[in-house]
Amino acid sequence: MNKSEMRLALLTALAALAGALAGCGGSADAAAETASATALECQHDDDGEAATCSSGAPNREAAARLSLPACPAAPQALHDITSVQGSGSLSPLEGRQVTVRGVVTADFQGNDQLKGFFIQQPVPDRDPATSEGLFVYAPGGTDVKVGDYVQASGTVVEFKSGSSANAQLTELSQVSQISICGSGPKIRARVLKLPLADRDALEPLEGMLTSLSQKLSVTEVYQLGRYGELALSLGDRLYHPNNHPDGPRGGRDNTLSRLVLDDGRTAQNPKPIPYLSAADTSGTRRVGDRVSHVRGVLSWGADAWRLHPVQAPVFESANPRTRAPEPVGGTLKVGSLNVLNYFTTLNQRGANSTVEFERQRTKLVEAIAALDADVLGLMEIENNGTKALADLVAAVNAKLGAGTYAYINAGRPGSDQITVAMIYKPERVRPVGNVAVPDDPGFSVDGGLRPPVAQRFAALANEGGFWMVVNHLKSKGSCPDGSDDPNRDLGQGCWNTARTTQAQALQRWVAQLSAASGETDVLMMGDFNSYLNEDPIRTLEAGGFEALLKRLPPAQRYTYVFSGESGALDHAFASASLRRQVSGLTVWHINADEPLVLDYNTEFKSDDRYAPTPWRSSDHDPVLVGLKLKADAAALLPRLEATLPASATVGVPVQITGISAADGNSLSVDWGDGSGPQALALAATSASHTYAAAGRYTVRLRLADAQGRSAERSGVVTVGTGPGNGGSNELFFSEYVEGSSNNKALELYNPTGAAVDLSNYTVKLHANGGAGVTQSQALSGTLAPGATLVLVHPSFAGNVQGPAPLVSSVTNFNGDDTVVLEKSGRAVDAIGQLGHDPGTAWTHGTHSTLDRTLRRKPGIVRGSIPPAAPAAWDLSAEWSVHGQNDFSDLGRHQAD
């Protein structure tokens, strides 16, 4: 008998067996299911639990499983699971009421679980495009267990979870009947292999019991604490294509080489958090750890294929924590650390409470202490003068000893909410000359100017000198609108053009620093928000700087993990003369590899695993460079520090404080009002002046030496008249928010010394600056002296400090409208010019009203009406511009 005859005989026998089963309580559909026993030929892996099957040969094992228990008569049409699943992404029976039978492969009926169970038909069909598994959504719960052969009746539903219209989970929902027919045959797991052929390759396995026997690693831990999930990858962790040592082609299969390991639960903030290495606060699960014995059911949700395990995966800590950075050699250590929004002002971009702030500070102190850098650059520290910086240094010194670190006082660099800063060890290095901050508009970012900060240092041991330049380029997030915007994502993340412009500006500025000072040894460090193979990095390399991270083995070239891909956003660049003096470099992986749930925040933490350690003190890993500087001749340059006033009042003395002058022989200040330079003693720590008239003046504090070299501190002070000095007796607009969607608000401030009767005031909206009134809001009640009244759009979704706001449609403005405040019919303040249509927004230079928050500058104590002509309004004169949806000061205006 040949193979064809043998197969025909087996088919005949199976058909007869099917008929016999039908006569014993089965059905014609069950017989049809039986006849598919010839569909697949299966091989097993080493543990005998998984099978890889292909069509074409009789499956004798499948035939042996066909003694299935009898089930009740089906209340709806009986269908194979494969016919419910169909061969496409969506079920051909969607919306139909059906009855299906299968063996329970996984049970997740708990209240915090998926509220259902998975079944699988014992014998696959002939079509490799159809799945034999199905999820039964049964939120009421039923007494089924793994291994039961069950019959379930309900409606076929495509459950959508995510943004994709076609990628949905086929399930049986609205279940009307579940019957346990008896014990079913053992279902062997289908072997799943990565990389996938394409993104639809897992559809034929939806709902089925699967396993992975390949070498797997954890490649993402971000959502572990929030949703109980990890991302696994084939082989080692996945690297961003633009950071891969083989270039973009090296990471092209990333999406096909990963799979989400879920936990069978839908509840957020699981307690306990799954998959951690220990039950106490020492437990973690790091990117790079190995995973084996991965076996579970395959499901779809939240735009990803997910494996819900039916047995505990086995983890190997292949990427263990290290208690300190690797040695970098040399005689000095220089580092950089992104401190993830270290704000002493609570409830803004950083900590939301005192508890969170203390936890944040503790973690950062532990990280800084262990880094033990002689000079350390910091990114994402609050731009509030030196308040946040001084607070952090004081905390570090409280741990390490008084005076261990000092900080470079750069004032308020730029106009962004965050800035860069520098701290150093006075026992190891000394600053040479003054801190340098550029005013090049090429450093602008969305939300303001965020320039680098540079300081020249000399090693106390041998006077070896170098420039330290700390940087923070524009991030890849908050993508611009418009299909023709040059900053849209063209393969290097959004804002790549802006970052490249910043890199070019940085290169120009550093060249100027070197030329002016004669010091060519330059180390640039910080968060460049660019991967190693992207344009900003190439720009700096083309300018003669070495990207030092490329000295590391390829597997260590990362400081950040995003969407399961590792890469370097934080860098160190050495100038041509310095590179030979670099003794080593390391990245201390304390943050990027760690779960978010271990950070300082308190929200979304049913299982709070916070510990006072450096782990997850930020989201970026710190970079550390070793230097062995050649000896230099001692360089002494005038060095000047001071805190300049930003506002003042006519007739009231104003002060410069914190003056510290070194290596000079004459100190003077020019207050900018024509009163002439005022000589100060070299030991002076403050200076005072009284302005006679309101206005904006440039204050210059200057220290010079005998050779004519100088250091200068300068700034603009806004002088107002103030109450009792001809100041305003009227309310005025103190803040304007034209945010995203309907996040629109106005803030009114009472600058007077008495309560104001609001019933005299009306706010009017003029669309496009036109004469007609579009909306009007009469006010009522009183407003206390120094208090604010906030008006918000009916759909406002932001935060307001202080009393509840007044909801009003008068805030239904756009960036091209004019808002007027009237008292008894007389205009006393306005935003925009009546009688002019500005187009899309009121603009002046880099200032704009479109999608921005405007705040009245300190010292402004009265409203103003822009002139009727010409059609130009210099909003920069009285208003500072902040980013979209910046509600941090809304409701708490401070006139000074």
Side-chain angles (χ1 to χ4, degrees):
M1 183 180 294
N2 61 33
K3 290 183 179 180
S4 298
E5 292 171 333
M6 290 177 62
R7 185 173 182 183
L8 180 59
L10 181 59
L11 282 170
T12 303
L14 289 173
L17 179 58
L21 287 173
C24 296
S27 68
D29 293 286
E33 179 181 345
T34 302
S36 68
T38 62
L40 300 179
E41 181 177 10
C42 303
Q43 296 85 36
H44 304 285
D45 60 12
D46 293 339
D47 63 8
E49 288 299 316
T52 304
C53 304
S54 59
S55 61
N59 185 350
R60 294 174 179 80
E61 289 185 348
R65 296 194 204 116
L66 294 177
S67 295
L68 302 175
C71 293
Q76 279 101 29
L78 185 61
H79 288 271
D80 290 345
I81 291 176
T82 52
S83 66
V84 172
Q85 284 282 6
S87 59
S89 59
L90 304 178
S91 172
L93 301 179
E94 183 180 4
R96 299 264 299 274
Q97 291 185 333
V98 301
T99 297
V100 293
R101 293 172 181 168
V103 179
V104 177
T105 55
D107 185 8
F108 298 109
Q109 295 187 77
N111 288 332
D112 64 341
Q113 294 181 310
L114 302 178
K115 295 184 175 62
F117 54 91
F118 289 84
I119 60 175
Q120 190 165 330
Q121 67 185 46
V123 180
D125 66 0
R126 293 176 179 270
D127 188 351
T130 58
S131 168
E132 285 83 48
L134 187 67
F135 179 62
V136 179
Y137 179 61
T142 184
D143 189 21
V144 302
K145 61 182 183 298
V146 174
D148 285 345
Y149 186 67
V150 302
Q151 174 177 286
S153 301
T155 302
V156 178
V157 170
E158 289 292 344
F159 180 71
K160 183 178 181 180
S161 174
S163 59
S164 176
N166 292 324
Q168 303 179 32
L169 175 66
T170 304
E171 67 179 28
L172 191 68
S173 188
Q174 304 169 34
V175 176
S176 60
Q177 183 186 84
I178 297 175
S179 301
I180 301 173
C181 306
S183 295
K186 185 174 184 178
I187 301 296
R188 297 187 182 276
R190 185 76 63 86
V191 173
L192 190 160
K193 290 187 177 181
L194 300 174
L196 305 173
D198 55 56
R199 297 190 180 190
D200 298 324
L202 293 180
E203 182 68 33
L205 299 179
E206 182 185 81
M208 292 180 63
L209 187 65
T210 58
S211 70
L212 294 96
S213 57
Q214 297 167 293
K215 175 185 173 183
L216 300 172
S217 295
V218 176
T219 197
E220 175 68 275
V221 295
Y222 188 82
Q223 300 285 20
L224 178 58
R226 188 72 190 277
Y227 299 109
E229 65 184 50
L230 300 169
L232 307 184
S233 58
L234 173 64
D236 299 318
R237 72 170 71 220
L238 300 174
Y239 291 87
H240 192 281
N242 294 346
N243 204 86
H244 200 281
D246 297 332
R249 291 182 60 83
R252 60 182 175 179
D253 293 327
N254 280 355
T255 59
L256 304 178
S257 297
R258 59 177 287 170
L259 182 70
V260 175
L261 176 65
D262 215 324
D263 64 347
R265 292 188 280 188
T266 56
Q268 297 185 28
N269 315 312
K271 183 178 182 179
I273 298 168
Y275 308 135
L276 292 178
S277 60
D280 59 16
T281 56
S282 69
T284 188
R285 179 56 57 211
R286 287 168 60 86
V287 175
D289 285 350
R290 300 288 187 207
V291 193
S292 59
H293 295 80
V294 179
R295 187 168 182 264
V297 286
L298 192 65
S299 179
W300 174 268
D303 292 323
W305 286 105
R306 301 167 178 276
L307 194 75
H308 297 283
V310 295
Q311 66 183 35
V314 176
F315 291 91
E316 174 193 352
S317 295
N319 179 28
R321 292 171 168 175
T322 56
R323 299 183 63 84
E326 294 293 324
V328 292
T331 55
L332 288 180
K333 292 188 292 186
V334 184
S336 69
L337 171 65
N338 185 313
V339 294
L340 188 57
N341 295 314
Y342 188 78
F343 274 56
T344 51
T345 305
L346 301 181
N347 204 29
Q348 290 198 21
R349 292 178 58 164
N352 294 325
S353 66
T354 301
V355 171
E356 284 192 344
F357 178 69
E358 290 175 350
R359 285 163 50 131
Q360 180 187 27
R361 180 168 55 195
T362 298
K363 277 190 166 291
L364 287 171
V365 167
E366 293 298 315
I368 292 171
L371 279 168
D372 193 33
D374 299 306
V375 179
L376 183 65
L378 305 174
M379 292 76 68
E380 287 195 22
I381 198 159
E382 184 178 7
N383 195 10
N384 60 350
T386 61
K387 183 178 180 181
L389 181 59
D391 179 273
L392 183 56
V393 170
V396 174
N397 288 342
K399 177 180 177 65
L400 299 179
T404 301
Y405 279 97
Y407 61 83
I408 298 297
N409 183 356
R412 293 176 182 258
S415 57
D416 200 12
Q417 276 192 298
I418 56 174
T419 187
V420 298
M422 231 179 294
I423 66 176
Y424 66 98
K425 289 184 178 180
E427 290 187 354
R428 302 280 292 154
V429 298
R430 65 176 177 84
V432 177
N434 246 35
V435 63
V437 181
D439 57 5
D440 190 331
F443 292 110
S444 296
V445 296
D446 186 41
L449 183 68
R450 192 166 68 210
V453 169
Q455 177 64 59
R456 186 178 175 186
F457 287 97
L460 295 186
N462 67 351
E463 291 296 333
F466 71 101
W467 278 102
M468 172 66 165
V469 186
V470 187
N471 310 269
H472 190 184
L473 303 192
K474 172 67 179 157
S475 74
K476 295 176 180 286
S478 301
C479 297
D481 296 327
S483 59
D484 58 347
D485 194 303
N487 278 302
R488 67 191 187 280
D489 189 353
L490 297 174
Q492 298 185 52
C494 295
W495 305 104
N496 180 64
T497 299
R499 282 189 297 278
T500 303
T501 299
Q502 290 175 321
Q504 293 165 344
L506 178 61
Q507 191 171 301
R508 290 193 303 270
W509 182 59
V510 168
Q512 294 167 4
L513 288 178
S514 294
S517 65
E519 178 59 81
T520 61
D521 292 344
V522 179
L523 182 63
M524 301 189 300
M525 300 188 72
D527 179 0
F528 290 78
N529 274 309
S530 305
Y531 293 116
L532 276 168
N533 301 325
E534 293 182 344
D535 293 338
I537 308 303
R538 295 191 186 102
T539 296
L540 296 174
E541 288 179 309
F545 289 88
E546 179 187 353
L548 294 176
L549 258 68
K550 292 186 178 180
R551 294 190 182 188
L552 294 174
Q556 290 299 312
R557 297 174 188 170
Y558 71 93
T559 66
Y560 195 75
V561 177
F562 180 74
S563 192
E565 296 178 329
S566 298
L569 297 180
D570 307 81
H571 299 275
F573 294 91
S575 64
S577 62
L578 182 66
R579 68 179 64 174
R580 294 184 297 274
Q581 302 170 71
V582 174
S583 57
L585 175 136
T586 190
V587 177
W588 190 23
H589 300 299
I590 57 174
N591 297 320
D593 290 336
E594 297 280 338
L596 174 68
V597 72
L598 303 184
D599 72 4
Y600 70 85
N601 289 281
T602 57
E603 66 267 25
F604 309 122
K605 290 185 178 177
S606 302
D607 187 7
D608 190 356
R609 299 298 185 96
Y610 170 83
T613 65
W615 317 114
R616 198 66 194 191
S617 52
S618 178
D619 53 348
H620 291 245
D621 288 332
V623 178
L624 198 62
V625 176
L627 296 178
K628 189 175 183 180
L629 296 171
K630 64 181 186 295
D632 288 331
L636 294 176
L637 296 173
R639 176 172 168 75
L640 180 64
E641 291 191 2
T643 300
L644 303 180
S647 62
T649 302
V650 171
V652 179
V654 64
Q655 284 193 327
I656 300 173
T657 59
I659 299 176
S660 175
D663 301 322
N665 61 5
S666 66
L667 180 65
S668 63
V669 57
D670 186 336
W671 294 96
D673 60 350
S675 58
Q678 174 187 351
L680 302 174
L682 287 174
T685 58
S686 65
S688 180
H689 184 68
T690 301
Y691 285 96
R696 299 175 76 238
Y697 305 96
T698 299
V699 180
R700 300 185 187 278
L701 183 68
R702 185 174 183 270
L703 174 68
D705 66 5
Q707 288 75 41
R709 297 172 300 190
S710 64
E712 185 177 282
R713 291 280 183 166
S714 64
V716 175
V717 57
T718 301
V719 181
T721 53
N725 289 290
S728 174
N729 291 318
E730 314 289 0
L731 301 185
F732 64 85
F733 292 125
S734 50
E735 187 154 340
Y736 163 97
V737 180
E738 207 280 291
S740 63
S741 187
N742 290 316
N743 283 324
K744 304 173 188 296
L746 289 169
E747 179 188 84
L748 296 162
Y749 178 69
N750 178 5
T752 73
V756 168
D757 183 359
L758 293 175
S759 64
N760 295 321
Y761 291 86
T762 303
V763 179
K764 295 183 178 181
L765 174 63
H766 299 258
N768 308 118
V773 177
T774 307
Q775 295 284 348
S776 180
Q777 176 67 60
L779 305 182
S780 62
T782 60
L783 189 63
T788 60
L789 172 66
V790 177
L791 287 70
V792 299
H793 190 281
S795 299
F796 181 76
N799 300 315
V800 178
Q801 311 293 329
L806 171 64
V807 177
S808 173
S809 296
V810 77
T811 59
N812 191 29
F813 47 73
N814 293 310
D816 56 352
D817 296 331
T818 298
V819 187
V820 178
L821 176 65
E822 292 186 356
K823 180 182 180 182
S824 302
R826 175 178 60 87
V828 295
D829 199 8
I831 301 171
Q833 283 180 283
L834 278 177
H836 298 287
D837 184 347
T840 57
W842 299 103
T843 60
H844 191 275
T846 60
H847 284 57
S848 173
T849 55
L850 181 64
D851 298 333
R852 291 293 181 267
T853 295
L854 274 62
R855 296 193 186 107
R856 223 68 183 250
K857 290 182 176 180
I860 301 298
V861 295
R862 65 172 65 241
S864 62
I865 308 298
W873 173 44
D874 182 3
L875 63 159
S876 66
E878 295 186 4
W879 297 86
S880 61
V881 180
H882 304 267
Q884 188 180 52
N885 297 333
D886 185 344
F887 315 120
S888 55
D889 280 337
L890 188 60
R892 57 178 185 186
H893 180 72
Q894 296 181 353
D896 56 358

